[in-house]
Amino acid sequence: MKNILIINSGSSSLKFQLIRMPSEEVMASGMVERIGLDNAKLHYKVGDNSITEELEVKDHAVALKAITDYLMNSEIGVIRNKDEIAAVGHRVVHGGNVFSKTIAINAEVKEKIRENFSLAPLHNPPNLKGIEVAEELFPSSRQVAVFDTAFHQTIPQKAAQYAIPTEFYEKRHIQLYGFHGTSHKYVSKKAIEELQKDNSKIISIHLGNGCSITAVKDGKSVDHSLGFGPVNGLIMGTRSGDIDQSVIFYLIDELGYTSQEVSDLLHKKSGMYGLTGYSDLRDIEEQAAKGNKQCQLAMDMNAYRIKKYIGAYAAVMNGVDALVFTAGIGENSSVIRSLVCRDMDFFGIKLDEEKNKIRDKKLRAIEAEGSKVKILVIPTNEELEIAQQSFELIS
């Protein structure tokens, strides 16, 4: 048995899970939020016991030290000393075109992560900070990097390259990279197990505040809706998804927006929030049920965009065996699932509305009898996927 500490460092947060492998037992979990701000909070959970404490947390080093103290606490801790942690698995959002698999961290790996700061300015810097802090706190533990982009390295060049001068692809590595790869990999593996079919064609639909959809053929990503950055594709909580590039030029040239203002508009003020004033789908569903036409339109637009990608990816793979809904919205919104699967008879996609309404935290099939395509709701578990890959690397 080996204990794997999973670290997910954000700009002002640090999430963690301590997982015992290969039994996959979650020994402890939680997060520190509002790092560097007033009233930072540490949430710590062991079994059915949950603790929340306000702390002064000036940086990620203090946050991880506080987590470590809880893990080794004589009353609520789960380990006696740091040496009981065999490896620390780090989620790193952008690996560029360098990293196609999970890798042990060394100086060269850290430098490559740093070189990709410009590709993921909100994510890679805190990811690297988490690595550096963990190296100091856990000197005897293996440090492992698991990249969100790695799963999408199998996307063929005909899908990954943009139709701009080739030098931008060859010299500047401007291409589709994709995101949410750890989630898409985890749920697609579960779907393949459910199908009991090696030569599978799966469309994985990750719907949360950030959204993406992936065509997975024979267990490999072959196309994906997010690209060079995490703003295109599906309509998201505050991000626009696909938009005509001419709109950007119009905002800058005719309306006087700066490029930064356009970036803020597309990343933080668009999507469901821009359409309705709400970024949380639960609020939008509630308002739509009360007759708010704009909220209903936003949900219709959201589902319509997903349906377009399903059609495209079914064409790319010459068929589809299963749709997979995952992440917060995908797992919990029966309304969105119903809108997406409506009028898809041509593809053999038929939803059982009663099964769709059932709430459960386990994998479940919700297709109607006679549906040619399996419709699966699979709770994602990125932390477990990171633990599995880290364990495989150090074993």
Side-chain angles (χ1 to χ4, degrees), residues 297-347:
L297 173 63
M299 290 197 300
D300 290 340
M301 290 173 64
N302 190 310
Y304 181 78
R305 184 74 57 84
I306 297 169
K307 289 161 77 89
K308 285 176 66 175
Y309 271 91
I310 290 173
Y313 290 168
V316 164
M317 296 189 293
N318 191 26
V320 56
D321 296 311
L323 298 183
V324 176
F325 289 92
T326 193
I329 293 170
E331 295 167 28
N332 296 303
S333 177
S334 60
V335 176
I336 288 295
R337 293 194 300 263
S338 179
L339 288 172
V340 169
C341 295
R342 188 172 298 168
D343 299 325
M344 297 283 272
D345 304 66
F346 179 81
F347 294 98

Side-chain angles (χ1 to χ4, degrees), residues 284-302:
I284 296 169
E285 287 185 5
E286 182 180 342
Q287 291 298 315
K290 293 178 180 179
N292 186 316
K293 293 183 179 180
Q294 190 61 32
C295 286
Q296 184 60 57
L297 173 63
M299 290 197 300
D300 290 340
M301 290 173 64
N302 190 310

Side-chain angles (χ1 to χ4, degrees), residues 244-270:
D244 181 349
Q245 298 93 325
S246 299
V247 174
I248 297 172
F249 304 137
Y250 183 83
L251 289 170
I252 293 173
D253 297 337
E254 299 296 328
L255 300 185
Y257 280 69
T258 66
S259 61
Q260 184 59 54
E261 286 172 337
V262 173
S263 178
D264 288 343
L265 176 69
L266 298 180
H267 283 85
K268 301 175 182 179
K269 300 176 182 178
S270 297

